[in-house]
């Protein structure tokens, strides 16, 4: 079926504005992750959803960042009052349930530029 | 102490050589291990998964897992310039609610 879908693919916003990034995981995948990747850097974990469990928000860098996942499917990452240091590629990934752990499938990311 | 560690590189090998990428992890209870490849400007893509001690081969790629020594490696035989990318090691730990932790990646360059 279709892969992980993220929108928009690119977003340019002015400092101080709010942005919403969307992720549509692969159907049937119960786990959903958000990562951030700055230019030339590794993956920075932001938040993890697993089924109906409380999300692991330990990676969110500040209270300007929030995420929700409605109906166990689509997820939205919201960044309020954006700052220039928020500029990065935001990657969403999902995985199916699995006894030993299932690999992640990544979307193509949203490139956020804060001017 | 980082949970998953990789040499950042860059690692350069000549075309046709074997590239060896290494990863160590801190949680002895970890069960699942993955190697991802990330081309510049692209998203990571899964190339290998390994769950048991020993070697697992897939084409030119071999993943090696040693749980006693807490390391996992990736060998790329007959390296090609198209293998030039950053290789990310990822580990699912036993008690982490987050489940999956990535290393910082090793940048590989295969020289023609």
């Amino acid at each position: 079926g279709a892969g992980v879908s993220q929108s928009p693919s690119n977003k340019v916003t002015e400092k101080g504005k709010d942005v919403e990034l969307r992720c549509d995981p692969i159907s049937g995948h119960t786990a959903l992750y958000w990562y951030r990747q700055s230019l030339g850097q590794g993956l920075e974990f932001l938040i993890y959803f697993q089924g109906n469990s409380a999300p692991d928000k330990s990676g969110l860098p500040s209270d300007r960042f929030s995420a929700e996942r409605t109906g166990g499917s689509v997820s939205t990452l919201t960044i309020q009052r954006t700052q220039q240091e928020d500029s990065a590629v935001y990657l969403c990934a999902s995985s199916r349930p699995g006894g030993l752990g299932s690999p992640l499938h990544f979307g193509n990311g949203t490139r956020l530029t804060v001017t | 102490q980082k949970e998953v560690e990789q040499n950042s590189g860059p690692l350069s090998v000549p075309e046709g050589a074997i590239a060896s990428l290494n990863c160590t992890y801190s949680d002895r209870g970890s069960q699942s291990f993955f190697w991802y490849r990330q081309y510049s400007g692209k998203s990571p893509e899964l190339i290998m998964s390994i769950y048991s001690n020993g070697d697992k081969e897939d084409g030119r790629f071999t993943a090696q897992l040693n749980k006693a020594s807490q390391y996992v490696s990736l060998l790329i035989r007959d390296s090609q310039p198209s293998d030039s990318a950053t290789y990310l090691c990822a580990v699912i730990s036993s008690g982490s609610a987050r489940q999956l932790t990535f290393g910082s990646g090793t940048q590989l360059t295969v020289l023609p």
Side-chain angles (χ1 to χ4, degrees):
Chain A
V4 177
S5 177
Q6 291 189 245
S7 62
S9 55
N10 281 284
K11 176 72 176 178
V12 180
T13 189
E14 293 181 351
K15 177 181 173 181
K17 300 286 189 183
D18 298 351
V19 295
E20 283 190 354
L21 312 179
R22 177 188 168 102
C23 173
D24 198 344
I26 295 172
S27 178
H29 281 199
T30 58
L32 187 150
Y33 296 75
W34 283 98
Y35 291 90
R36 177 169 72 175
Q37 190 170 35
S38 300
L39 188 64
Q41 302 299 309
L43 295 173
E44 177 186 4
F45 166 75
L46 296 178
I47 189 169
Y48 162 61
F49 297 91
Q50 173 59 278
N52 295 321
S53 301
D56 176 358
K57 303 180 180 181
S58 61
L60 295 178
S62 77
D63 59 7
R64 297 186 295 105
F65 289 73
S66 62
E68 62 178 19
R69 189 178 185 191
T70 54
S73 182
V74 172
S75 177
T76 301
L77 176 68
T78 301
I79 309 173
Q80 296 178 311
R81 305 180 302 282
T82 52
Q83 304 295 312
Q84 288 184 329
E85 60 263 29
D86 299 334
S87 297
V89 175
Y90 288 80
L91 290 164
C92 176
S94 69
S95 68
R96 60 177 172 79
L100 285 178
S102 299
L104 299 188
H105 299 263
F106 283 85
N108 290 328
T110 294
R111 182 176 299 278
L112 175 66
T113 303
V114 181
T115 60
Chain B
Q1 180 186 3
K2 289 186 179 179
E3 296 179 31
V4 179
E5 293 206 41
Q6 299 179 249
N7 289 327
S8 61
L11 173 66
S12 295
V13 299
E15 184 174 357
I18 296 175
S20 178
L21 305 163
N22 298 310
C23 172
T24 59
Y25 58 95
S26 60
D27 183 355
R28 187 171 289 276
S30 298
Q31 300 179 16
S32 307
F33 308 85
F34 308 95
W35 283 99
Y36 287 81
R37 177 178 62 199
Q38 187 175 25
Y39 291 114
S40 181
K42 301 294 185 182
S43 296
E45 57 179 328
L46 179 72
I47 53 173
M48 290 287 288
S49 59
I50 187 166
Y51 304 99
S52 303
N53 275 328
D55 294 0
K56 179 181 178 182
E57 187 174 317
D58 184 0
R60 295 186 296 111
F61 298 96
T62 299
Q64 299 175 317
L65 175 60
N66 184 323
K67 290 186 178 180
S69 299
Q70 295 175 239
Y71 83 78
V72 55
S73 61
L74 179 70
L75 301 178
I76 307 174
R77 291 182 301 281
D78 188 23
S79 296
Q80 302 297 308
S82 60
D83 295 326
S84 298
T86 297
Y87 289 80
L88 300 165
C89 172
V91 175
I92 294 183
S93 301
S94 56
S96 169
R98 184 189 312 168
Q99 288 287 307
L100 188 68
T101 302
F102 281 89
S104 57
T106 298
Q107 185 180 341
L108 173 67
T109 300
V110 180
L111 303 171

